[in-house]
Amino acid sequence: MMLKDKVAVIYGAGGAIGGAVARAFALEGANLFLTGRSLGPVEAVAQDIVSAGGSADAAEVDALDEQAVDNHLQFVTDKAGRVDISFNAIGLPNPKTRVPLIELDVERFSLPIATYTRSYFLTARLAARRMVANRSGVIMTITATISRTGTPMVGGGGPAMAAVEALTRDLSAELAPQGIRVVGLRPQGIPETARIKGSFELYAKASGLTWEQFHESLASRTHTRRLSTLAEMANVAVFMASDKASGMTGTVVNLSMGSLDD
Ligand SMILES: NC(=O)c1ccc[n+]([C@@H]2O[C@H](COP(=O)([O-])OP(=O)(O)OC[C@H]3O[C@@H](n4cnc5c(N)ncnc54)[C@H](OP(=O)(O)O)[C@@H]3O)[C@@H](O)[C@H]2O)c1
């Protein structure tokens, strides 16, 4: 087991990515502390894991609320003795409409930048304060290919994802000397998730294509001629969280199947 007895906290664990990562971590023996803004979906993931023989606790934590994150990490360290892995997978709801930058108001532009940077900063900083004592830990971020590719109609999403990747590198530069690795994953859109299904539908409609045609046009840009799956993303997350990845920090794994050059 690659994560046997590792204590892992996941933010946004009721979502598609957070839930898939939680299940994959559990299969590898991690002791999970799952959190989300709404308790119901997080509890459902935790119950699945416990029913399958794993260990998972569910809690309602707003990952933008400093006190709530700090209190929860204190609960985790009191109960499990330490925090080994912090994985933030929160996601803002998809906008209902796509607006060109020239028509976008500043509040809507700024929202993803302020939200993602605040949440990633808070969860990383508060976990790192606990990890430093053990000179060990892994902090993980998740971004998207819009961090690196000019993409129309994503508003502040591209700058937000680029900022999280910069934060991943800067945290690593400060924390790696103290034994803490900071690594990111940059998946392409995974069509089995509700988020991507919804945004493909909007893009497809705007381009006069069906969902299938739009999906196919994205898949055709990859080397594999298909988009990746949640399971493939979660397997990489397991490896990056494990001690097998001890040689990797300050980097973001490109999961674009070749559609985005390094
Ligand atoms: N899905 C993909 O294919 C894909 C690809 C590349 C990158 N990503 C990125 O990965 C992240 C997660 O994507 P996803 O598909 O898993 O999204 P998702 O299914 O919408 O899940 C996001 C989760 O985050 C929770 N959340 C939102 N704000 C929160 C907060 N302040 N505190 C705690 N939890 C909060 C949501 O809870 P509520 O429902 O209660 O708000 C939801 O459970 C996003 O940043 C997305 O851009 C996703």
Side-chain angles (χ1 to χ4, degrees):
M1 283 188 168
M2 289 174 81
L3 301 177
K4 184 145 179 52
D5 298 330
K6 296 276 189 193
V7 178
V9 179
I10 300 183
Y11 301 94
I17 302 256
V21 168
R23 290 182 169 93
F25 279 11
L27 281 176
E28 294 297 331
N31 179 8
L32 288 158
F33 289 85
L34 307 180
T35 72
R37 191 162 45 182
S38 342
L39 190 56
V42 180
E43 272 182 334
V45 176
Q47 272 162 17
D48 280 358
I49 289 171
V50 171
S51 306
S55 166
D57 176 89
E60 187 177 312
V61 177
D62 179 346
L64 291 165
D65 179 338
E66 180 168 12
Q67 199 58 58
V69 172
D70 200 36
N71 290 345
H72 180 258
L73 285 170
Q74 197 53 51
F75 163 76
V76 174
T77 42
D78 289 346
K79 194 163 176 199
R82 59 186 195 282
V83 180
D84 297 310
I85 301 162
S86 166
F87 193 112
N88 190 332
I90 70 152
L92 277 173
N94 263 337
K96 297 271 180 293
T97 53
R98 297 288 175 177
V99 179
L101 287 168
I102 197 169
E103 288 166 22
L104 195 65
D105 70 68
V106 69
E107 299 309 329
R108 189 162 159 185
F109 173 73
S110 307
L111 180 71
I113 303 169
T115 305
Y116 285 112
T117 53
R118 178 185 172 93
S119 178
Y120 276 100
F121 171 69
L122 281 178
T123 56
R125 192 193 70 188
L126 293 168
R129 286 181 179 171
R130 271 95 181 171
M131 291 171 173
V132 159
N134 302 326
R135 296 193 65 79
S136 162
V138 186
I139 293 170
M140 300 182 69
T141 60
I142 186 137
T143 54
T145 51
I146 55 173
S147 66
R148 292 273 305 277
T149 300
T151 309
M153 310 289 222
V154 293
M161 295 291 118
V164 171
E165 293 190 1
L167 182 64
T168 304
R169 293 187 290 270
D170 293 345
L171 283 164
S172 174
E174 292 192 13
L175 296 171
Q178 302 178 71
I180 301 162
R181 294 189 296 113
V182 188
V183 287
L185 304 178
R186 186 195 303 128
Q188 61 188 171
I190 301 170
E192 70 202 91
T193 66
R195 163 181 302 276
I196 293 303
K197 195 150 192 323
S199 68
F200 277 17
E201 269 158 13
L202 282 178
Y203 279 119
K205 202 168 158 198
S207 332
L209 300 172
T210 63
W211 189 93
E212 288 76 12
Q213 287 167 328
F214 187 77
H215 179 171
E216 186 54 38
S217 80
L218 290 186
S220 71
R221 291 180 216 161
T222 67
H223 294 182
T224 50
R225 307 290 184 265
R226 68 172 179 85
L227 301 181
S228 58
T229 66
L230 263 177
E232 287 170 326
M233 181 278 313
N235 286 339
V236 178
V238 165
F239 171 73
M240 294 302 286
S242 78
D243 294 339
K244 299 266 183 213
S246 60
M248 296 183 81
T249 191
T251 191
V252 177
V253 182
N254 181 352
L255 294 169
S256 72
M257 299 277 220
S259 64
L260 176 72
D261 285 342
D262 288 321

